[in-house]
Amino acid sequence: MDSESSQIIRVKSNNILFLLAEILLLVLKIVYYICEDVYRLIVPPKKKNVAGEIVLVTGAGHGIGKELAIGYALLGATVVCWDKNEENTNQTMDDIKKMGLDSVHAYRCNVADREEVFRVAEKVKKEVGDVTILINNAGVGIAKLLLNQSFDDIERVIDVNLKAHYWTLRAFLPNMIEKNHGHVVAISSIAGLFGSSYGTVYCATKSSIKTMMEAVSEELRALSNGKSSV
């Protein structure tokens, strides 16, 4: 057997060994995750206590935002409701107070307006305190074909669904980083996982939220050398 044939055999043997090692590693991972899931079923993780946290929910005037505001209030958090519609956000606050829960505040805020976000954020800090849980829930969807959407339609969806996240993060994230305590939640949509007709703008904004939050998470990890609690 010549040296070239021996080398080919060695390469093939190494490839087989690497393949077997990869298969073994995959099997071990599968077993590990199955065991972990079974353990979590038997011993579920302890739920986080949000009592005393200051939770700000955008788009709290109706829908998911209102339900989130009510839910956090029932868990003992101080809730700050933001919505462009002042009547709706006041109604959410009143509904919570009717439950005997007084730690709730309502502010009119158009999250698409950068200056208004920073202005109302300062008001919240002075009147309520530092927000420790930020829930970017406000969103708008316009179901039209791309060529049927006006420029104003396109800008409105992008401003509310995407740009507003940057404004609220810039307003509240620095304090969380300083205190190394806080949570940021971004409400996206299954529509952000794939494109569809009538969703050329909406789908794009919801998809962008996912990657934006992943990037923010990586930045926090890098800035704190992996020790960030935000």
Side-chain angles (χ1 to χ4, degrees):
M1 183 180 295
D2 57 28
S3 59
E4 184 177 350
S5 298
S6 299
Q7 185 176 3
I8 292 173
I9 292 174
R10 283 197 298 271
V11 170
K12 288 184 177 179
S13 298
N14 287 337
N15 288 339
I16 292 173
L17 289 174
F18 283 130
L19 177 61
L20 291 174
E22 289 290 334
I23 293 173
L24 178 60
L25 181 61
L26 177 61
V27 171
L28 291 174
K29 284 184 177 180
I30 292 172
V31 172
Y32 170 80
Y33 287 123
I34 290 174
C35 292
E36 183 181 50
D37 288 343
V38 171
Y39 174 79
R40 288 303 181 190
L41 285 173
I42 300 172
V43 186
K46 185 178 179 181
K47 292 183 179 180
K48 180 177 177 61
N49 183 5
V50 297
E53 302 281 358
I54 298 179
V55 183
L56 188 149
V57 183
T58 66
H62 65 285
I64 294 174
K66 182 171 184 175
E67 295 303 317
L68 285 169
I70 293 172
Y72 274 102
L74 290 171
L75 292 173
T78 295
V79 177
V80 179
C81 303
W82 274 17
D83 200 281
K84 182 179 180 179
N85 188 308
E86 187 172 9
E87 182 179 352
N88 285 351
T89 193
N90 284 335
Q91 185 61 57
T92 298
M93 178 178 66
D94 291 341
D95 289 346
I96 291 174
K97 287 187 174 182
K98 288 177 183 177
M99 299 176 184
L101 305 168
D102 294 323
S103 294
V104 56
H105 308 265
Y107 296 86
R108 183 202 177 280
C109 184
N110 176 10
V111 292
D113 185 328
R114 181 182 62 197
E115 293 183 0
E116 186 169 334
V117 166
F118 291 124
R119 183 173 64 252
V120 181
E122 284 301 316
K123 192 174 182 182
V124 169
K125 292 175 186 178
K126 292 177 181 178
E127 297 179 356
V128 184
D130 293 319
V131 171
T132 54
I133 300 178
L134 168 63
I135 302 180
N136 280 318
N137 163 76
V140 61
I142 298 176
K144 292 182 181 179
L145 293 172
L146 174 61
L147 299 182
N148 291 338
Q149 296 193 50
S150 68
F151 295 144
D152 288 341
D153 286 341
I154 294 172
E155 288 183 344
R156 182 183 173 213
V157 174
I158 294 174
D159 286 347
V160 176
N161 292 4
L162 181 58
K163 284 185 178 180
H165 289 245
Y166 288 100
W167 311 150
T168 56
L169 282 168
R170 290 291 296 267
F172 298 110
L173 187 57
N175 185 263
M176 295 183 190
I177 294 174
E178 181 182 346
K179 294 184 177 180
N180 197 29
H181 174 76
H183 298 270
V184 178
V185 179
I187 305 298
S188 184
S189 168
I190 192 171
L193 301 178
F194 51 84
S196 63
S197 297
Y198 301 95
T200 51
V201 184
Y202 181 80
C203 293
T205 57
K206 290 302 182 180
S207 177
S208 297
I209 289 171
K210 179 179 180 297
T211 52
M212 180 196 71
M213 290 298 291
E214 289 173 350
V216 171
S217 180
E218 283 301 306
E219 286 186 6
L220 291 171
R221 182 188 62 78
L223 287 172
S224 64
N225 294 317
K227 298 179 182 179
S228 175
S229 295
V230 180

